[in-house]
Amino acid sequence: MTEKKKFQEEKKHHWMSIETKDRKDLKQLQNQEFYTSPESIINRIKTGEFDRSTFLKLMGASATILTANCIPQPKEKIVPYVNKPEHITHGISNYYASTCSGCSAGCGILIKTNEGRPLKLEGNPNHPSNQGSLCASGQASILNLYDPDRAKSPMKIEGGNATAITWEDLQKEVSSALSTYKGKTILFTSPINSPTTKKLIAEFLTKVGGGKHLEYDATSPEEAISLANEACYGKAVVPNYHFDKAKVVLSLEADFLGTWISPVEFTKKFNSRRKLSEANPNLNQLFVAESMPSVTGSVADQRFPLRSGDARKFGLAVAKAVSELGGNAYGQLAGIEVETLAKEMELDSSRIRKLAQALYSAKGESLVVGSGDVDLQIVVNLLNSMLENDGKTVDFTVNRGEGVFSSKNLETLKKSLEAGEVGVLFISQVNLLYQLPDYLGWKSILSKAKLIVSLNDRVDETTLSVAKYLAPTNHFLESWGDTEAISGLVGVTQPTINPLYNTRSFEDILITFAGGELGGVQHYYDYLKNNYTKQIGEKGWISFLKTGFKSQEVVKPSPARPFKGTVKPLEPKTNGLALTLYQTVALGDGTHANNPTLQELPDPITKVTWDNFLAISPALAESRGLVSNDVVKVKGEKGVEFALPVQVQPGLHRETVAIALGYGRTSVGKVGNGVGKNSYDLAGFQEGRLVLTGLKIDFEKTGKKYKLATTQDHHMMNPGSPLGTKWEDRALILSTTLAEYQKNPASGTEKADPEFPNIGTDKQKKLAKGFNPEYEYKGYKWGMSVDLTLCTGCAACVIACQIENNIPTVGRDEVRVGREMHWIRIDRYYIGDPNKPETLEIAHQPVMCQHCDNAPCETVCPVVATVHGSEGTNDMVYNRCVGTRYCSNNCPYKVRRFNWLEHWRDGKDFARSPRNLAFNPDVTVRSRGVMEKCTFCSSRIAEKKIRAKNEGRTLKDGELKTACQETCPADAITFGNTNDKNSQVSKNRENKRAYRILDFLNVKPQVSYLTRIRNV
């Protein structure tokens, strides 16, 4: 096969969306300047829809608005410090070590502050868990601090209306109730992994006359894992998982690279065995069986699409195949037949046996993880015991918690309420009336408490419906605390700003309600400090604050535990549609639904923003006569009905449909209210736990349309021939297999003869130089490389870039017309036949400004607003830009973004004060009519260069990191000086796997990519 044919074969296998695959007008879509025409008014005038008088009215209004902009702005005085605070220097940021509370993973962070204002979160590079990286939710959590819809003072709630009161009035009312109902207090909270907070809660309950502390999380997978470990091994623990020690990994519905337990930590560990080099030409191997395509499934070497609810069936088929190879089945697999189960699941039994062989060949160095009910977790435990992973890749000694029993706690609360045994009920960070289906009747159950006080950061659905008072809590950046997510690894949480509103930390509120004192102190800071100075001394406490964490010596894992569990028989096969309810990388369980940055983050798989939807397979869509954006009426088991738009999603089993959780909020804030539908109402409920898979469902077509704000087809690159040449299309993302790579490290990057050759005077072919004069970069020349084998598409880089560079959120309507502003987009590709989901692969390719040496944008700008820097970067001079958009039209990578509106000043819900306090003062805030794009974090480059110059040295390799590189959990992005041949980015560019997108255009991009390799 010729090299040209190899390229064509590769191109045909990669496609971007079901809507554009095989479209005859695809080239036209790729070539058009904008996704939608910006000239709508002019077009309407041409068609006669606007007459002359209407046109003149519009022109008059425009002139009026223009004149209004000429009114002088009020003068503002800049007042210098009289006495400059210690440690504050203008223009110099301070960093504080702390712990992220965006989820329960407990990642270590460094908080960047400027003059007492937190601006950016980065992972703590010394923290053993996340090792310097942070997920998208963690990056965006700083914006929750500046959320204008947070509660600003204590509130009294009557008849669905909240009115502000004082802390003194609230304390008086609560103290009176605690005295009246002594011994009948229940503190109902989300799971707490703070040892000091648990100690304080115990003292609080003792001081108020006794009571109970109950923890609950509606969607956490830890409870099922804990109960399964108790059933199988005699002790209820949540093990820690060592992906870095596993050669072969099997995931059963566990999105451990995206949303499951601790995705940043697991991504770091998993990818430590995925960093290819000629010295180490081996990869770990990942098998994923799932109902809805996930981040983890998208990087799987082999993926098995399941009917929702069949994960346990698949696990048992694998276990049977392992037992036939010699694995100890512990007498649990009688009556299980691989071929029978494979046929029921519509899978090839030979693939299951190949998976079993891979796991068995890596005994003690393999790992099986799962997310689902207790019965599924028992099968996971059985597999790990059969494969001798227990005590090796499954660490139950240094674990993630013991005795996690959310469902039992919920049942305890219900019984206590129904028995009239609850006097004062404190609810903290648990939103029962949003997360539990209405048919369970929790609103009437909760109303049986004598007094309900909500300890929350806002008036949420539960607070508004049943609470009498709200005691507003701080953001974690305003609070003191500690976290022990993994036994022996304790992180500190320290405030970097005074509370923006009249709020208090959860612990200080308990001290307030306990009479103003607990443990001999009046403030939680003193309580926390006293607790640790007793353990580690004053110097140890100071060291704890500096490092952000303390850890015990590594404990060697104990020997494997004997498996004593019982596998329940499989239920008879059912037919018909089955529903999966899943969490997205952006919104998770819905807690952060009022964060506009997360709402506008394109989902790594579906690329949809701002809404949830009913995901259906191409086969189901064809049989029901549906296409994306059709609206259907969804019908659940308990009579729940609501309308949702359809998204045709390749990779789904033909009988599986899926809906994201976290949407449909009604009391979270102006941004999140009314976005999507609450799919928790479709969940099942069994033994006190939500059931999220295998749910019966049906739907019917309504004939209506609802345009989803999806970004995948907005900025498509054209890989076709330029300037009338006859070169065929080139693949934009290159893939190969590990076997081919081991034979030839350049596999997948083979090229035909160089395009655009010149014939020199010696009659030899030479590459054309292009229009721009060549320039010799004598100092630094910045470049970047992206390893597509490592990239998981998690989108942490997108959010990090957005926060670092003051990139605006534009809203659903603007995204619909292709005007999202992200400087990095992650193009998602499918590989294979959409009608054969078992063969389908998913690939991700981050695309940012390529900083071309022969940048086509520079030659067409009439005002020289886009210029080439002396260090190889393509720079933007914002105050020169007049918005002609010629540069955008001439960019083959479609990475430039135009400010159609004054996004920061238009009064939109996601631009209200105090969100402006999150602006990075080192980066210009762009106005309407200005073009912008990736700058390689020029402010960071300048900062590091100034520091190095002051110290009389040059920058060291790895000292300077862009925002996207620094946060990337997968370590897929490398940035550095390409003039330094020993730098990692230079080595990556010389790697045999390296290639550049659209390099045949001769624009000489400074971003290179390493081929995507799968271990199939």
Side-chain angles (χ1 to χ4, degrees):
M1 182 181 292
T2 66
E3 305 300 342
K4 184 181 291 188
K5 287 184 178 178
K6 283 186 179 180
F7 270 111
Q8 290 307 298
E9 183 180 0
E10 187 77 8
K11 175 66 175 64
K12 290 176 183 176
H13 277 74
H14 290 70
W15 45 280
M16 297 186 75
S17 70
I18 197 74
E19 288 76 27
T20 59
K21 188 179 187 296
D22 301 326
R23 276 187 65 163
K24 294 181 180 181
D25 61 344
L26 181 59
K27 286 294 177 191
Q28 181 180 346
L29 293 175
Q30 292 171 337
N31 286 328
Q32 67 186 22
E33 181 178 1
F34 300 105
Y35 181 70
T36 55
S37 172
E39 302 174 344
S40 57
I41 293 179
I42 294 175
N43 291 335
R44 292 166 76 181
I45 292 172
K46 288 180 178 179
T47 58
E49 186 175 344
F50 279 170
D51 56 18
R52 182 173 176 273
S53 62
T54 304
F55 176 75
L56 290 174
K57 289 177 184 177
L58 289 173
M59 290 300 295
S62 300
T64 303
I65 294 171
L66 185 63
T67 304
N69 285 335
C70 297
I71 297 173
Q73 298 296 314
K75 293 182 179 180
E76 296 182 9
K77 295 182 179 180
I78 301 175
V79 181
Y81 287 119
V82 177
N83 295 307
K84 185 175 75 68
E86 189 179 6
H87 307 305
I88 288 184
T89 303
H90 286 298
I92 304 298
S93 298
N94 295 327
Y95 292 83
Y96 297 88
S98 191
T99 304
C100 180
S101 297
C103 70
S104 62
C107 293
I109 57 174
L110 297 179
I111 307 169
K112 176 184 177 181
T113 68
N114 190 289
E115 299 185 34
R117 181 162 53 99
L119 298 174
K120 184 77 163 58
L121 304 184
E122 301 291 357
N124 185 343
N126 298 317
H127 197 278
S129 176
N130 57 311
Q131 302 172 45
S133 296
L134 210 57
C135 67
S137 178
Q139 284 285 346
S141 62
I142 192 170
L143 301 180
N144 296 332
L145 169 68
Y146 301 114
D147 185 350
D149 292 317
R150 288 174 55 197
K152 297 174 176 60
S153 69
M155 292 186 176
K156 184 176 182 179
I157 301 158
E158 292 179 312
N161 296 311
T163 55
I165 60 174
T166 65
W167 279 105
E168 291 74 16
D169 291 340
L170 177 60
Q171 181 182 2
K172 186 185 300 182
E173 293 292 332
V174 174
S175 297
S176 174
L178 288 171
S179 176
T180 302
Y181 306 111
K182 188 168 291 187
K184 294 185 176 182
T185 300
I186 290 184
L187 193 57
F188 194 66
T189 72
S190 59
I192 292 175
N193 53 16
S194 165
T196 309
T197 299
K198 287 185 175 181
K199 180 181 176 183
L200 181 85
I201 288 173
E203 291 188 23
F204 168 78
L205 290 174
T206 299
K207 189 163 183 179
V208 299
K212 301 172 185 175
H213 175 214
L214 305 175
E215 297 175 317
Y216 180 73
D217 188 332
T219 60
S220 170
E222 280 98 330
E223 182 191 18
I225 296 172
S226 177
L227 291 171
N229 271 266
E230 183 180 44
C232 296
Y233 306 115
K235 187 177 181 180
V237 299
V238 180
N240 201 14
Y241 301 98
H242 294 297
F243 290 91
D244 53 330
K245 297 180 181 179
K247 291 181 179 178
V248 182
V249 178
L250 168 62
S251 168
L252 303 175
E253 295 278 18
D255 185 15
F256 64 87
L257 300 179
T259 59
W260 191 71
I261 299 182
S262 184
V264 175
E265 174 190 356
F266 294 158
T267 301
K268 281 283 185 184
K269 290 180 176 180
F270 176 77
N271 268 7
S272 67
R273 281 183 169 267
R274 228 162 168 79
K275 296 178 179 178
L276 275 173
S277 66
E278 292 189 42
N280 178 34
N282 295 302
L283 287 177
N284 54 9
Q285 195 168 19
L286 174 62
F287 298 88
V288 176
E290 60 185 3
S291 52
M292 174 67 185
S294 66
V295 172
T296 305
S298 71
V299 300
D301 297 301
Q302 290 195 44
R303 181 178 173 274
F304 298 82
L306 300 180
R307 183 180 183 274
S308 182
D310 277 357
R312 189 166 78 97
K313 185 181 293 185
F314 183 89
L316 287 174
V318 175
K320 182 64 175 182
V322 170
S323 72
E324 292 174 358
L325 295 171
N328 182 359
Y330 297 94
Q332 298 297 314
L333 302 176
I336 300 295
E337 297 293 338
V338 177
E339 279 68 23
T340 302
L341 295 185
K343 185 177 181 181
E344 288 183 4
M345 294 184 290
E346 301 178 13
L347 295 173
D348 186 348
S349 62
S350 64
R351 293 185 69 209
I352 295 176
R353 293 190 182 279
K354 182 180 178 181
L355 160 59
Q357 180 64 60
L359 288 168
Y360 191 70
S361 299
K363 283 193 302 182
E365 294 181 290
S366 59
L367 178 60
V368 182
V369 293
S371 183
D373 60 17
V374 178
D375 293 335
L376 173 61
Q377 295 299 336
I378 289 174
V379 174
V380 169
N381 292 343
L382 173 63
L383 276 165
N384 280 318
S385 291
M386 293 175 69
L387 296 166
E388 301 175 12
N389 296 330
D390 197 60
K392 297 174 183 175
T393 56
V394 179
D395 188 351
F396 54 87
T397 305
V398 182
N399 57 62
R400 307 192 74 92
E402 300 182 7
V404 182
F405 302 127
S406 288
S407 59
K408 292 183 179 179
N409 290 338
L410 185 67
E411 188 63 24
T412 298
L413 175 63
K414 181 180 179 180
K415 289 180 179 178
S416 299
L417 286 165
E418 291 179 337
E421 297 172 355
V422 181
V424 181
L425 174 62
F426 296 103
I427 301 178
S428 175
Q429 306 300 322
V430 180
N431 197 350
L432 289 178
L433 298 190
Y434 167 65
Q435 292 187 308
L436 296 184
D438 287 343
Y439 64 78
L440 295 176
W442 268 95
K443 183 174 182 179
S444 62
I445 295 172
L446 288 170
S447 64
K448 296 179 181 180
K450 302 299 186 293
L451 175 67
I452 297 179
V453 181
S454 174
L455 282 67
N456 208 343
D457 70 335
R458 67 193 65 233
V459 180
D460 63 12
E461 289 83 350
T462 301
T463 304
L464 191 64
S465 295
V466 296
K468 186 173 183 180
Y469 295 104
L470 170 69
T473 54
N474 289 347
H475 187 272
F476 71 87
L477 292 176
E478 302 168 323
S479 305
W480 286 98
D482 60 348
T483 299
E484 189 175 14
I486 302 173
S487 58
L489 176 59
V490 182
V492 68
T493 301
Q494 53 181 317
T496 52
I497 190 172
N498 281 327
L500 294 177
Y501 307 120
N502 186 20
T503 60
R504 298 180 182 179
S505 71
F506 169 79
E507 295 83 0
D508 279 317
I509 291 173
L510 293 187
I511 292 174
T512 299
F513 292 159
E517 182 180 306
L518 277 178
V521 298
Q522 296 179 344
H523 301 287
Y524 183 61
Y525 165 73
D526 298 314
Y527 189 95
L528 182 73
K529 181 181 178 181
N530 292 344
N531 189 45
Y532 279 101
T533 51
K534 290 177 183 177
Q535 301 175 37
I536 56 180
E538 186 71 28
K539 289 184 177 179
W541 168 250
I542 298 299
S543 176
F544 188 26
L545 296 181
K546 286 182 177 180
T547 60
F549 67 94
K550 69 181 189 72
S551 57
Q552 298 176 352
E553 294 183 6
V554 177
V555 179
K556 293 183 178 180
S558 301
R561 304 164 291 179
F563 182 86
K564 301 177 182 178
T566 301
V567 174
K568 288 185 179 179
L570 287 169
E571 296 180 358
K573 182 180 183 297
T574 58
N575 296 314
L577 297 180
L579 170 68
T580 287
L581 300 176
Y582 67 98
Q583 295 189 38
T584 65
V585 165
L587 291 195
D589 65 358
T591 301
H592 306 309
N594 206 53
N595 189 317
T597 304
L598 291 176
Q599 287 279 9
E600 197 157 294
L601 177 66
D603 183 80
I605 305 301
T606 67
K607 295 302 174 184
V608 174
T609 67
W610 284 105
D611 276 297
N612 60 347
F613 48 84
L614 182 71
I616 64 175
S617 68
L620 181 59
E622 184 178 359
S623 66
R624 295 284 187 105
L626 295 168
V627 296
S628 294
N629 298 324
D630 282 345
V631 176
V632 296
K633 181 187 287 185
V634 176
K635 300 178 180 180
E637 282 190 83
K638 301 292 183 178
V640 178
E641 293 184 359
F642 52 75
L644 270 181
V646 161
Q647 173 77 2
V648 180
Q649 177 57 53
L652 282 169
H653 185 280
R654 63 183 181 84
E655 290 187 347
T656 296
V657 298
I659 304 174
L661 297 167
Y663 293 83
R665 298 292 304 269
T666 58
S667 184
V668 67
K670 291 187 177 180
V671 170
N673 286 347
V675 176
K677 296 296 173 63
N678 183 5
S679 56
Y680 281 107
D681 286 337
L682 296 171
F685 196 77
Q686 186 176 358
E687 297 179 355
R689 292 183 293 276
L690 288 179
V691 178
L692 303 177
T693 59
L695 302 165
K696 291 183 180 179
I697 192 171
D698 203 356
F699 60 87
E700 62 183 31
K701 192 173 181 178
T702 65
K704 298 179 181 179
K705 291 278 188 178
Y706 179 90
K707 185 175 177 59
L708 291 167
T710 179
T711 66
Q712 180 59 41
D713 302 329
H714 286 182
H715 304 289
M716 293 187 290
M717 294 179 284
N718 180 7
S721 55
L723 301 178
T725 60
K726 296 181 180 180
W727 290 100
E728 301 286 351
D729 285 6
R730 293 303 194 229
L732 299 172
I733 183 169
L734 302 181
S735 302
T736 189
T737 65
L738 181 62
E740 291 295 323
Y741 168 79
Q742 290 172 341
K743 293 177 186 177
N744 175 19
S747 172
T749 63
E750 302 92 342
K751 294 181 175 64
D753 292 336
E755 292 89 345
F756 285 109
N758 275 349
I759 304 298
T761 55
D762 56 358
K763 296 187 178 181
Q764 297 295 316
K765 288 184 177 181
K766 296 180 180 179
L767 196 64
K769 293 182 178 180
F771 295 109
N772 294 339
E774 289 193 3
Y775 180 84
E776 182 180 358
Y777 301 93
K778 295 181 179 180
Y780 300 107
K781 185 180 184 185
W782 305 112
M784 180 176 284
S785 69
V786 181
D787 192 333
L788 300 180
T789 301
L790 296 177
C791 179
T792 65
C794 70
C797 58
V798 178
I799 297 296
C801 173
Q802 186 168 6
I803 295 172
E804 173 77 18
N805 295 293
N806 301 332
I807 299 173
T809 303
V810 300
R812 180 196 286 114
D813 290 341
E814 291 296 294
V815 175
R816 282 171 171 163
V817 295
R819 296 178 181 176
E820 66 274 7
M821 297 297 295
H822 299 126
W823 287 4
I824 301 177
R825 73 172 188 271
I826 302 180
D827 288 339
R828 174 220 60 213
Y829 291 87
Y830 296 111
I831 307 166
D833 187 341
N835 293 313
K836 297 179 180 178
E838 67 279 2
T839 68
L840 202 66
E841 296 180 26
I842 303 172
H844 306 282
Q845 184 177 52
V847 183
M848 63 293 290
C849 175
Q850 306 288 293
H851 293 269
C852 310
D853 277 357
N854 290 336
C857 55
E858 296 170 10
T859 58
V860 297
C861 180
V863 292
V864 201
T866 176
V867 295
H868 216 69
S870 61
E871 296 177 351
T873 56
N874 177 258
D875 299 333
M876 279 296 305
V877 185
Y878 296 126
N879 61 353
R880 288 183 189 169
C881 182
V882 295
T884 63
R885 305 188 298 277
Y886 295 162
C887 56
S888 177
N889 189 40
N890 217 38
C891 175
Y893 301 99
K894 308 292 183 69
V895 291
R896 289 178 164 265
R897 302 291 176 262
F898 184 71
N899 284 273
W900 293 97
L901 300 171
E902 201 80 50
H903 296 292
W904 300 116
R905 299 179 184 175
D906 281 354
K908 296 178 180 177
D909 292 334
F910 38 82
R912 290 178 295 139
S913 179
R915 295 195 192 275
N916 60 296
L917 295 180
F919 288 166
N920 182 355
D922 296 329
V923 178
T924 302
V925 176
R926 285 76 60 189
S927 60
R928 181 179 182 178
V930 172
M931 189 67 69
E932 60 183 69
K933 52 93 192 174
C934 165
T935 65
F936 274 169
C937 289
S938 57
S939 62
R940 291 191 175 206
I941 294 175
E943 179 186 2
K944 294 292 185 180
K945 282 173 57 183
I946 291 170
R947 180 177 298 176
K949 181 181 179 180
N950 291 340
E951 295 173 1
R953 61 179 179 83
T954 57
L955 288 172
K956 301 174 184 177
D957 185 41
E959 180 180 358
L960 169 61
K961 292 184 177 182
T962 58
C964 57
Q965 176 190 10
E966 187 161 19
T967 201
C968 179
D971 295 326
I973 301 173
T974 305
F975 177 78
N977 179 15
T978 59
N979 279 348
D980 178 4
K981 300 307 176 185
N982 294 318
S983 66
Q984 188 59 50
V985 70
S986 293
K987 293 177 182 178
N988 287 356
R989 287 158 68 95
E990 297 302 319
N991 193 303
K992 293 180 180 179
R993 294 168 53 207
Y995 75 100
R996 293 179 175 88
I997 305 176
L998 304 180
D999 60 345
F1000 61 88
L1001 294 178
N1002 198 31
V1003 294
K1004 297 183 179 179
Q1006 293 306 297
V1007 179
S1008 61
Y1009 293 83
L1010 300 181
T1011 51
R1012 173 184 174 274
I1013 297 178
R1014 288 295 175 262
N1015 186 4
V1016 295

